[in-house]
Amino acid sequence: MGMSIFGSRKKRILVNDVHSHLIPGVDDGAKTLDESISILKDLEGLGFKQVVTTPHIYRDLYPNDESDLKVKYQELSERIKELKLNLELKLAAEYFIDDHFLSRIKNNVELLSFGDRYVLIETSFSTLPLIWDEVIFELKSSGYKPVLAHPERYQYIMDDRSFLERLKMNNIKLQVTAVSLIGAYGVGQQKIARYLVKKKWVDFIGTDLHNRSQIEGLNKTHPNRFYQKALALPLLNYQL
Ligand SMILES: [Fe+2]
């Protein structure tokens, strides 16, 4: 048997992604339909079969709403079909926690979720929002399962790892970003990502892809020991 493109045929690959910014022109991700398609072709080449794309919904920076995103998602999906890509694209969102988001959950707005009503959320990188507990309560009350995007990247978690324990106790799912494990966002972020793998607290792995230049980092991550260890965990990616 020969070696695979990832170095050894025994290496695992991720086939279900749950975090990416591939709807063109709506946030800091892909800018055009062509760019989205190029990235999706790259992902197909890496072995991905299902990609959940999660554009930002963030009132102050990316004021998207669910219905506009659905229209753009349809356009992209049709292009994928025309080109016969061997990959399924699904739409969810990455919700920034702010008062606007809180009021929308309270008003029973149907959120963009993936799998078994998982909702991807993010906070400011510096501080935990004061409304955190309330948002989690409201999400759960509405039947959603909160997933914190890239917990390894928040300063308040790097400063106090015990918060991760609280998250696990509250059954908040944790989505680690693949390239964090090779230090793409910094050393502190890498340490937390590796700590989560060691603790077996990784629920989802995501790529958080925004553009084509990040594909190289994803390639580099594949043979990484911590990444391979993460993929051997009973990830919820495998249940999608
Ligand atoms: Fe993201």
Side-chain angles (χ1 to χ4, degrees), residues 130-174:
L130 293 170
I131 56 171
W132 171 265
D133 286 326
E134 199 181 352
V135 167
I136 296 301
F137 174 81
E138 292 294 338
L139 277 172
K140 288 181 175 173
S141 303
S142 301
Y144 293 112
K145 296 173 181 168
V147 179
L148 180 61
H150 39 62
E152 71 275 12
R153 295 182 60 192
Y154 303 106
Q155 192 58 50
Y156 57 86
I157 288 179
M158 285 186 268
D159 292 342
D160 177 15
R161 286 186 190 189
S162 71
F163 185 65
L164 293 167
E165 245 168 282
R166 201 178 123 195
L167 294 173
K168 290 309 288 180
M169 298 237 302
N170 289 322
N171 197 25
I172 292 157
K173 305 301 180 196
L174 304 179

Side-chain angles (χ1 to χ4, degrees), residues 19-21 54 56 94 120 122 149-150 208 210:
H19 186 165
S20 63
H21 299 269
T54 51
H56 288 287
E94 181 176 18
L120 191 66
E122 65 170 342
H150 39 62
D208 202 359
H210 285 69

Side-chain angles (χ1 to χ4, degrees), residues 219-237:
N219 250 319
K220 270 192 206 153
T221 307
H222 269 288
N224 178 267
R225 176 165 76 87
F226 285 89
Y227 183 63
Q228 286 297 317
K229 237 178 143 175
L231 292 185
L233 297 173
L235 300 175
L236 294 171
N237 296 68

Side-chain angles (χ1 to χ4, degrees), residues 66-77:
E66 287 81 0
S67 52
D68 292 345
L69 291 174
K70 280 180 189 166
V71 171
K72 287 174 177 148
Y73 162 74
Q74 279 309 328
E75 290 169 14
L76 182 55
S77 294

